Amino acid sequence: KKLVLIMASSKPLFSTYVEPLQDKPEDGYEPEPQKQYNDDLDQKEQYDDDFDDYDPDDYNTSSKNSSGSSKKKGKKKMTAQQFKDVDLESLFFSDDDNFDIARKICEFYDEQFGDKDAVCMVADIGKKPAMSYWVSGDYVRRHDNIQNKRIIVYRACKHIEAKKPLVSHDEFVEFVKKLSIEYEDESTDIICDLMDKEFGDGCHYCRSSIENASYDIYSRFSDDYDAGFRLESGAYVIAWRR
């Protein structure tokens, strides 16, 4: 595991948690992955028909221990609606920083599903980045204000084999940086699509050009394909491939 911190300060404005991806085979239906092109679109609530086994108490996260983690019954599956019904505010403390909030939310969902597919972006209000990312089915939530934080959390698509030959970490970073400079005035969707074309579907791209932007991402990557850098313009980029 490694924590990439950007900027020399006691509390970085940007950070991302990344670890090499090791997928576990899952039995049963796997939702079709979907590309999310605009995180500013109003969320359209979608309901699952399978509520036969749903018990709200299974996802009651109001009781916390001293470390801030929730007491859970260990149920390993959720429908998309159950995923959206979880009270995110109960998973963290009001004085947690952006990174701790993102980590705690992902750890909660990872435990429910028994995998490491959760991704979470937490930003200060008015300072969120633009994102383009791959989502598994309808497992995505967007919130404009929870404890004065903008939060996006989703289940990433399963790992897809990267295009061959694989490139090194430095080559991945160099390619993403080149795209980021060339298409800095374009949508993040264009850059992410070009990353998918080069490395294979499953790329995620996040860029903030807001002055004094503050955001953190908790995520996983594969094949050493992850990058984080600041452009000369001041824009900050975090990118990775699931």
Side-chain angles (χ1 to χ4, degrees):
K1 298 180 178 180
K2 62 179 179 179
L3 175 63
V4 179
L5 301 180
I6 307 300
M7 302 183 65
S9 64
S10 59
K11 192 172 182 181
L13 292 178
F14 313 99
S15 64
T16 181
Y17 171 89
V18 288
E19 66 180 24
L21 175 66
Q22 292 182 339
D23 278 332
K24 297 178 181 179
E26 285 195 29
D27 297 327
Y29 170 72
E30 178 64 28
E32 188 72 20
Q34 301 177 16
K35 191 71 165 287
Q36 296 291 316
Y37 284 109
N38 188 349
D39 72 356
D40 290 324
L41 291 177
D42 291 335
Q43 183 170 349
K44 187 175 182 180
E45 293 296 333
Q46 301 185 26
Y47 297 89
D48 270 278
D49 294 327
D50 183 16
F51 285 95
D52 294 341
D53 299 324
Y54 178 52
D55 181 353
D57 290 337
D58 286 334
Y59 305 104
N60 180 2
T61 60
S62 60
S63 177
K64 295 179 181 176
N65 59 30
S66 59
S67 65
S69 61
S70 303
K71 297 178 181 178
K72 301 175 283 290
K73 292 186 178 181
K75 191 170 182 178
K76 295 300 182 183
K77 298 295 180 183
M78 283 180 169
T79 64
Q81 187 59 40
Q82 291 164 2
F83 177 88
K84 297 172 183 178
D85 284 343
V86 173
D87 178 13
L88 296 184
E89 190 171 350
S90 70
L91 299 180
F92 58 88
F93 294 114
S94 59
D95 59 351
D96 283 342
D97 61 22
N98 291 347
F99 178 77
D100 283 336
I101 293 171
R103 175 181 58 81
K104 289 177 180 180
I105 290 174
C106 284
E107 287 178 349
F108 170 80
Y109 281 120
D110 286 347
E111 184 169 342
Q112 303 307 313
F113 288 94
D115 56 29
K116 295 184 178 182
D117 292 349
V119 177
C120 187
M121 187 287 302
V122 179
D124 293 348
I125 294 295
K127 298 184 177 181
K128 68 176 181 63
M131 297 179 67
S132 185
Y133 48 97
W134 283 92
V135 172
S136 177
D138 297 324
Y139 290 91
V140 58
R141 305 178 57 163
R142 308 175 186 87
H143 300 276
D144 288 328
N145 192 340
I146 296 181
Q147 290 282 1
N148 295 317
K149 300 294 182 181
R150 163 78 168 181
I151 297 177
I152 297 176
V153 57
Y154 60 94
R155 281 176 54 74
C157 65
K158 285 295 181 182
H159 174 61
I160 302 170
E161 287 296 322
K163 288 187 175 181
K164 306 297 185 188
L166 296 178
V167 302
S168 69
H169 171 262
D170 289 344
E171 289 172 317
F172 178 82
V173 174
E174 182 180 356
F175 183 83
V176 176
K177 185 176 291 187
K178 180 180 178 181
L179 288 181
S180 299
I181 294 173
E182 185 176 353
Y183 295 96
E184 186 171 3
D185 295 328
E186 303 292 342
S187 166
T188 56
D189 307 331
I190 293 176
I191 297 173
C192 201
D193 286 344
L194 290 171
M195 289 173 59
D196 287 335
K197 183 178 180 180
E198 179 73 13
F199 303 113
D201 288 350
C203 292
H204 302 241
Y205 185 88
C206 196
R207 180 187 65 202
S208 179
S209 56
I210 300 173
E211 185 176 359
N212 297 321
S214 177
Y215 73 93
D216 293 77
I217 294 176
Y218 192 94
S219 62
R220 284 80 170 188
F221 67 93
S222 61
D223 302 317
D224 214 19
Y225 286 1
D226 73 302
F229 50 84
R230 183 184 293 280
L231 302 177
E232 290 186 3
S233 64
Y236 188 77
V237 171
I238 294 175
W240 68 99
R241 186 179 182 279
R242 180 73 170 86

